[in-house]
Amino acid sequence: MSTLRNRTTVLAAATTAVLALALTACGGDDSGTKSAGPAKNDSAPAASTSGSAKDTGTTTGGDTTGGGDTTSGGSTAKNTSASKGGGTAGGSSTKTGGNTSDSYAYKHPCKSGDLSVRVYPREGSATQHVIEVNNVGANSCGLSYFPQVSLGAAKASDHSSDIRPAVPGGLGGAPAYPVKPKTAAIAVIDLNPSGANGLTWINEMNVLADGDHMPNAETQNFELGPDVKVRDPKLGLYRSTVAEAVSSMKQAGTS
């Protein structure tokens, strides 16, 4: 009887030891920190869109205009996207620490590589488009009074019949329109101010940010919608906001 009782005691002790070892191997403590894998990059910038523009909220580094009258030429640089130039449409990749004075801009015309050009419909208008020229360079630079614009057919071999918009007259003042880094110069064009029947074969807008200093080869081409009708278009001067650019556009054709 004593032998049987001893065997039972030994067996119970062995079973307890086995259970303790099993619990230790399973790592039963859930209070520790667990790895969640690589973190998501929630701070990455959103992609730029070509949405409609409101009349407020866009500012530039200067409110004076300058430059001289421009003449348009044939467009050769095809641009199928909404922007061209270094950085993003909003200028978020602009370098810092450059010269941002207006006096510097007056002496240094903008270069195409330091600009990002966008063209998109103006919100609330069926005929107006916004031309937004962003300075994505490190320094301020100067633009002419207004962009050089023509309207034509994308597949045309001869652009001599392209339409040029009317612009405001009586220009004068500063030698250039200054654009600080991370800011934009804005011009508005109305393709059909009267809303009457117009030309329907036009499907492309050709834009040269500075017709005074840039060659025609740097003209960018922007596709227009299929229902566009062009008649007596008007183009305003570069301004700091869409609202100011619209006001300038309405003065086109006047001296």
Side-chain angles (χ1 to χ4, degrees), residues 175-193:
Y177 183 90
V179 191
K180 296 183 186 297
K182 294 186 179 181
T183 60
I186 295 174
V188 169
I189 183 172
D190 195 329
L191 303 179
N192 189 351

Side-chain angles (χ1 to χ4, degrees), residues 33-51:
T33 302
K34 297 181 180 179
S35 173
K40 294 182 180 180
N41 183 13
D42 295 331
S43 62
S48 174
T49 63
S50 298

Side-chain angles (χ1 to χ4, degrees), residues 98-102 104-105 108-110 135 137-142 178-181:
N99 195 316
T100 61
S101 68
D102 288 355
Y104 182 89
H108 295 81
C110 295
N135 181 357
N139 303 306
S140 291
C141 62
V179 191
K180 296 183 186 297

Side-chain angles (χ1 to χ4, degrees), residues 76-213:
T76 59
K78 185 66 178 178
N79 180 23
T80 57
S81 64
S83 64
K84 179 181 179 181
T88 63
S92 60
S93 66
T94 303
K95 299 177 182 179
T96 59
N99 195 316
T100 61
S101 68
D102 288 355
S103 59
Y104 182 89
Y106 295 152
K107 298 177 182 179
H108 295 81
C110 295
K111 298 179 180 179
S112 293
D114 291 330
L115 301 177
S116 175
V117 182
R118 300 177 63 212
V119 173
Y120 47 92
R122 179 197 164 208
E123 183 177 330
S125 174
T127 60
Q128 296 176 11
H129 282 68
V130 177
I131 301 172
E132 180 184 305
V133 180
N134 289 275
N135 181 357
V136 296
N139 303 306
S140 291
C141 62
L143 292 170
S144 53
Y145 278 167
F146 50 85
Q148 180 175 291
V149 177
S150 64
L151 304 161
K155 295 183 178 180
S157 57
D158 180 9
H159 288 275
S160 60
S161 60
D162 285 2
I163 305 299
R164 275 74 176 178
V167 297
L171 305 181
Y177 183 90
V179 191
K180 296 183 186 297
K182 294 186 179 181
T183 60
I186 295 174
V188 169
I189 183 172
D190 195 329
L191 303 179
N192 189 351
S194 67
N197 289 331
L199 302 173
T200 58
W201 53 270
I202 294 176
N203 60 7
E204 184 178 70
M205 184 186 304
N206 311 304
V207 178
L208 184 61
D210 187 336
D212 288 347
H213 301 97

Side-chain angles (χ1 to χ4, degrees), residues 47 54 72 138 156 162 215 219 221 235:
K54 295 183 179 180
S72 60
D162 285 2
T219 299
N221 314 104
L235 173 67

